[in-house]
Amino acid sequence: MTSKSFSSKGLLGDSMRRSLWALVLSGVGFFLSLLLPVLMSMQRALEQKADNLKNFPQHMEDAWQGALDLVAELLGYNPFVKATFVIMAVVCGVALFAYLHNRQKVDFYHSLPLSRTRLFANNFLTGALCTLSTYFVMLAITLACVYAMGFGEAADWGAIGGTVLCNLIFFLLIYALAVLTTIVCGNTVVTLLLLAWVYFSPLLVRMLQIALLGKFYETYASAGELDGTIAALRLCPVMEYFTVDGIRYGGVATLGQTGSAAGLLAGYLAAAAVVTALAAFLFRHRRSERAGTALAFDRSKLPVKVYICLIMGVAFGALFNLIAGDFWFWPGLVIGAVLFHWIVEIIYAFDFRAIFAKPLHLAVMLVVLVGGMLLMKADVTGYDAWLPDEGELEAVDVAAYSSREMLSEPENIAAVRRLAEIGVAMTAADDAAPEGELQAQFGPFDDSFGITLKFRLNGGRMAARYYRLPQTEEVEALLVQLQTSAEYKQKKWDLFCLDDMTEDEVAVLMFTDNAGAYLGNLYDEPEKISQILETLREEELARQESSMPVFRLELAYENRRDGSWSASWSKIYVCEADTRTLALIKQLTGYEPQPQALTADQISMVEIGYVVQRDEEGTAWRNVTVTDAGDIEKLLEDAVYADAMNIYNSVFYLGSGAPLMESADTVNVYATLKDGDRTTELRYLLGTLPTDVIEKYRPDGAADEAAAVIDAAATAEIMPSVG
């Protein structure tokens, strides 16, 4: 009898019987997260189908397809099922090894005629089987109901298989981490606290890293791919679980991850095996008398405390900095480290008097923490002065968060690197340098602007830097060269970056003229739309100079079933120089632009705004009303109706298809329309700004005050405005 009880099969069966609570909890969880939602969705769909058959037969097919899609989603990417797996992994991992935290139970279990290895395997398998057995049973019942109720088309067995594999691997890893943490600890409350830290601290570390880089480095910018964040997220399997749909990325928040997740799943399976093996090793070597202590292994105390105190010190510093400003970063740093040193020592000793324990540890951690922050502040690594060698650059970009293709033509790489050189020099210039020194170094300029440059180095490594650049002739020429290049247009403009249309979509091309009038659209006429866009592409690539925009086109893909837009592109412009396209539009649609965007009889007032002060508190403007009819005509003559054309960029703030415009950083022109008393901004093509009128109305002393803007802009931290 005794021999049978302690055989592998008998021991596991006995453990399963003693863990009926886990079977029940798992069964209820998967019933509520899987079977019940599927049943509710199918029942509702059948009722709706009957109603549609009687009253709305024309909608029946679409409604039924929507119901099938919903059922397929619940059988596949089901966040409720994922949440159930996470809960069961934590509950079973902690509960089935929690006896290690009770001295009487430890003595009992370890007195049984069983090796530690067999005891570990038994407990580990019990938790896994209690969860997985009910999952598979509930999945089988769900699929039987799906077929029985006529929803068999929703059962994609390939997708279901991928989902099962995904759930199995993530559960095993999260479960193994819970078991390992329970074994390392000697107290259940401490286990839960440390487990939360194990699951989520990598993401906290990444967030603090971003905060520190932004605080101490003037040129910090994200490379845009969230590489570091994704790497940190992969160290948080509980969170990464919700970015994976079967064996592919997908779900509520993928952070840009796309494609197959097979590599991730293979890595997680290997990690689960390693963590399980480590847990088994520590289980065999764990001393029974450590039950009831905070940590069962004394050697783990110091590294765990150091990791927690350093991270929480930085976290408190960042929080204090956010609430009260830069000065409070340093007190927050110290307060956070000291506070968590006290907390950890109290937990280790289960005694409030331990608050004064290990003062040497605290002193060393504070020195390391403050010293590390001072080294970052001094930029000992040369982060702000870094420049890539031109030979190691594969591609560049002028918009860190652009999802479009990077620029790889040699002349564009050289132009971006030259911009980076100017940015490094501008950053290195003394913040308190007077205007004359900056002008002598960089040439005459009226203002500065922020830009983020992105680099892809040999081997695929990404880097990005944010620079403040002067609005000099050289910088303007480099940006013009970039934006007028054929490569930039083909890789950045909406006109050249349209997605392919699916069978369920219909194209709609809408026309707005230069006076803001919506003229109409071409609906589901792919040949005409394609003809217009192809002609416009040819003309845009054939010329480099800017031309007055006279039409703004917006292309949208409309879903045939529900009329919603699945995609749209609004930065498509037809200009005066695009004569073939204009003639084709007139031929196919009859639409023609207005001779002039705005005329004096449409305007009740024109104002010119001048920047007179810019500092950390903001920018001060002084507005002057233009009264002379001749001056108003001059201001309107070459003006672009910004609201109608949706053009607010300038040559210094790169766009995705708009013509190059003059900067409006220090001077703005606004017109108030009689119709509705609306105010719109007037913008001007590069080189067409009516300078004589603008200077004529500049208020007395504003020129001197505006000169101070140069120095203020040179010392202010202007956030990136590049799109």
Side-chain angles (χ1 to χ4, degrees):
M1 190 76 174
T2 302
S3 175
K4 181 179 180 182
S5 297
F6 290 106
S7 68
S8 297
K9 183 182 294 186
L11 184 62
L12 183 60
D14 183 59
S15 296
M16 292 285 288
R17 284 190 293 274
R18 285 187 288 105
S19 301
L20 284 176
W21 62 268
L23 286 168
V24 173
L25 180 63
S26 178
V28 171
F30 288 119
F31 170 77
L32 294 176
S33 62
L34 180 58
L35 178 57
L36 184 60
V38 172
L39 287 174
M40 292 170 67
S41 299
M42 292 190 298
Q43 180 61 34
R44 182 178 181 182
L46 290 174
E47 292 176 357
Q48 187 177 17
K49 181 180 180 181
D51 182 63
N52 287 337
L53 185 62
K54 180 179 180 181
N55 300 312
F56 308 101
Q58 69 275 19
H59 299 311
M60 188 172 66
E61 183 177 348
D62 290 343
W64 182 250
Q65 185 59 51
L68 291 175
D69 292 343
L70 177 58
V71 172
E73 184 176 346
L74 291 172
L75 292 174
Y77 183 88
N78 186 330
F80 304 111
V81 170
K82 292 177 183 286
T84 302
F85 268 114
V86 171
I87 292 170
M88 291 306 303
V90 173
V91 170
C92 290
V94 174
L96 290 170
F97 287 85
Y99 76 88
L100 294 170
H101 304 159
N102 184 292
R103 293 182 182 180
Q104 292 179 336
K105 290 183 178 180
V106 168
D107 291 340
F108 169 74
Y109 279 103
H110 289 180
S111 67
L112 297 175
L114 293 170
S115 68
R116 290 281 189 96
T117 301
R118 282 187 61 194
L119 187 57
F120 172 84
N122 174 77
N123 292 343
F124 190 91
L125 288 174
T126 298
L129 290 176
C130 284
T131 301
L132 296 176
S133 60
T134 53
Y135 169 65
F136 285 118
V137 168
M138 207 60 64
L139 179 62
I141 296 174
T142 302
L143 288 171
C145 293
V146 166
Y147 278 96
M149 296 177 70
F151 287 79
E153 295 177 65
D156 183 341
W157 286 97
I160 292 172
T163 298
V164 170
L165 180 64
C166 170
N167 290 335
L168 177 63
I169 291 174
F170 272 96
F171 167 76
L172 289 176
L173 178 55
I174 297 169
Y175 177 57
L177 287 170
V179 170
L180 175 62
T181 306
T182 307
I183 293 171
V184 168
C185 296
N187 178 277
T188 303
V189 175
V190 175
T191 297
L192 295 174
L193 293 174
L194 186 59
L195 188 58
W197 185 258
V198 168
Y199 283 156
F200 302 111
S201 66
L203 192 59
L204 174 62
V205 170
R206 173 55 180 167
M207 294 169 62
L208 293 176
Q209 180 193 20
I210 293 173
L212 291 178
L213 290 172
K215 176 176 178 59
F216 291 119
Y217 299 140
E218 292 183 53
T219 62
Y220 169 72
S222 168
E225 271 73 24
L226 296 169
D227 294 336
T229 304
I230 289 173
L233 193 67
R234 287 175 179 169
L235 294 175
C236 304
V238 171
M239 300 187 69
E240 184 76 342
Y241 191 11
F242 292 87
T243 72
V244 179
D245 181 5
I247 58 173
R248 300 185 64 81
Y249 287 105
V252 293
T254 62
L255 293 183
Q257 300 175 96
T258 57
S260 173
L264 175 74
L265 294 176
Y268 275 2
L269 183 59
V274 170
V275 173
T276 303
L278 178 60
F281 174 80
L282 293 178
F283 185 83
R284 290 198 304 270
H285 292 82
R286 189 183 192 276
R287 291 186 295 173
S288 299
E289 60 268 23
R290 299 302 297 174
T293 61
L295 294 181
F297 300 90
D298 285 333
R299 293 182 180 180
S300 64
K301 287 185 175 181
L302 182 58
V304 168
K305 180 177 71 173
V306 169
Y307 178 54
I308 292 175
C309 290
L310 293 182
I311 298 307
M312 294 310 298
V314 175
F316 267 64
L319 180 63
F320 280 36
N321 187 102
L322 181 66
I323 294 173
D326 289 341
F327 170 80
W328 283 96
F329 173 81
W330 303 98
L333 203 68
V334 174
I335 291 171
V338 171
L339 178 62
F340 275 84
H341 169 78
W342 290 346
I343 291 173
V344 172
E345 286 298 337
I346 290 171
I347 291 175
Y348 281 172
F350 294 119
D351 188 348
F352 278 99
R353 290 172 295 182
I355 192 173
F356 301 110
K358 308 292 192 307
L360 181 60
H361 288 182
L362 177 59
V364 172
M365 284 190 295
L366 289 176
V367 169
V368 170
L369 189 58
V370 175
M373 297 301 103
L374 290 174
L375 289 176
M376 288 190 70
K377 183 177 177 63
D379 193 11
V380 295
T381 61
Y383 186 96
D384 285 334
W386 175 81
L387 267 176
D389 294 331
E390 198 165 327
E392 66 176 338
L393 287 173
E394 291 183 354
V396 294
D397 209 344
V398 286
Y401 302 101
S402 171
S403 60
R404 292 176 178 174
E405 195 174 350
M406 299 178 71
L407 308 175
S408 57
E409 293 292 336
E411 58 271 21
N412 288 333
I413 290 178
V416 170
R417 192 184 183 282
R418 175 56 186 154
L419 289 172
E421 287 180 355
I422 297 172
V424 169
M426 190 81 169
T427 303
D430 186 0
D431 284 347
E435 171 194 341
E437 290 185 17
L438 292 174
Q439 299 281 6
Q441 184 173 354
F442 300 106
F445 65 94
D446 294 329
D447 204 355
S448 63
F449 68 102
I451 188 171
T452 299
L453 304 180
K454 189 164 113 180
F455 311 95
R456 186 172 72 228
L457 308 177
N458 295 333
R461 186 172 73 87
M462 304 298 297
R465 292 293 187 272
Y466 166 70
Y467 297 112
R468 184 174 39 79
L469 299 180
Q471 294 184 1
T472 61
E473 291 183 1
E474 180 187 9
V475 171
E476 181 178 309
L478 290 168
L479 292 174
V480 169
Q481 173 193 326
L482 277 170
Q483 295 178 81
T484 57
S485 68
E487 184 188 28
Y488 183 91
K489 293 177 181 179
Q490 290 173 317
K491 292 181 176 179
K492 301 297 179 184
W493 281 21
D494 283 3
L495 176 62
F496 294 89
C497 299
L498 307 175
D499 297 335
D500 294 331
M501 194 166 53
T502 67
E503 294 181 357
D504 294 331
E505 295 172 332
V506 57
V508 186
L509 186 63
M510 292 155 280
F511 298 80
T512 300
D513 70 11
N514 50 334
Y518 174 71
L519 303 178
N521 63 67
L522 289 174
Y523 184 88
D524 197 14
E525 298 191 59
E527 292 185 2
K528 292 182 179 181
I529 292 173
S530 177
Q531 193 176 356
I532 290 173
L533 296 179
E534 284 299 324
T535 304
L536 183 57
R537 289 189 184 109
E538 293 173 4
E539 291 195 285
E540 290 294 347
L541 290 177
R543 65 178 174 87
Q544 288 189 323
E545 70 282 357
S546 292
S547 178
M548 180 67 70
V550 292
F551 277 128
R552 179 171 64 86
L553 310 184
E554 183 171 6
L555 178 68
Y557 291 164
E558 183 178 290
N559 189 296
R560 295 179 184 272
R561 289 189 298 176
D562 57 17
S564 63
W565 284 6
S566 54
S568 66
W569 298 266
S570 60
K571 297 284 188 178
I572 303 175
Y573 297 93
V574 183
C575 301
E576 286 181 344
D578 301 319
T579 53
R580 291 170 50 214
T581 306
L582 287 172
L584 183 62
I585 291 174
K586 182 178 180 180
Q587 174 189 336
L588 297 178
T589 66
Y591 303 149
E592 290 185 277
Q594 297 296 319
Q596 185 173 320
L598 293 172
T599 57
D601 59 349
Q602 297 174 283
I603 303 299
S604 62
M605 182 177 63
V606 173
E607 287 185 312
I608 305 176
Y610 302 86
V611 171
V612 294
Q613 183 179 354
R614 177 177 293 161
D615 53 31
E616 294 181 356
E617 296 182 358
T619 301
W621 292 79
R622 182 176 298 176
N623 293 336
V624 177
T625 302
V626 179
T627 55
D628 184 82
D631 292 334
I632 292 177
E633 288 287 357
K634 289 181 180 179
L635 291 172
L636 297 176
E637 184 177 356
D638 294 319
V640 175
Y641 187 171
D643 291 348
M645 291 288 100
N646 194 24
I647 296 179
Y648 302 100
N649 64 296
S650 75
V651 65
F652 298 111
Y653 299 94
L654 289 74
S656 56
L660 300 184
M661 311 300 289
E662 287 281 2
S663 172
D665 288 343
T666 58
V667 175
N668 277 327
V669 182
Y670 291 95
T672 301
L673 281 66
K674 294 178 180 177
D675 180 17
D677 200 31
R678 294 178 293 114
T679 299
T680 181
E681 186 177 356
L682 303 182
R683 303 300 295 268
Y684 298 89
L685 290 177
L686 192 62
T688 65
L689 187 69
T691 308
D692 54 340
V693 178
I694 288 173
E695 291 304 318
K696 174 181 176 181
Y697 285 87
R698 188 181 293 276
D700 293 340
D704 296 332
E705 293 172 331
V709 171
I710 301 167
D711 189 52
T715 57
E717 290 185 5
I718 306 172
M719 295 305 295
S721 298
V722 180

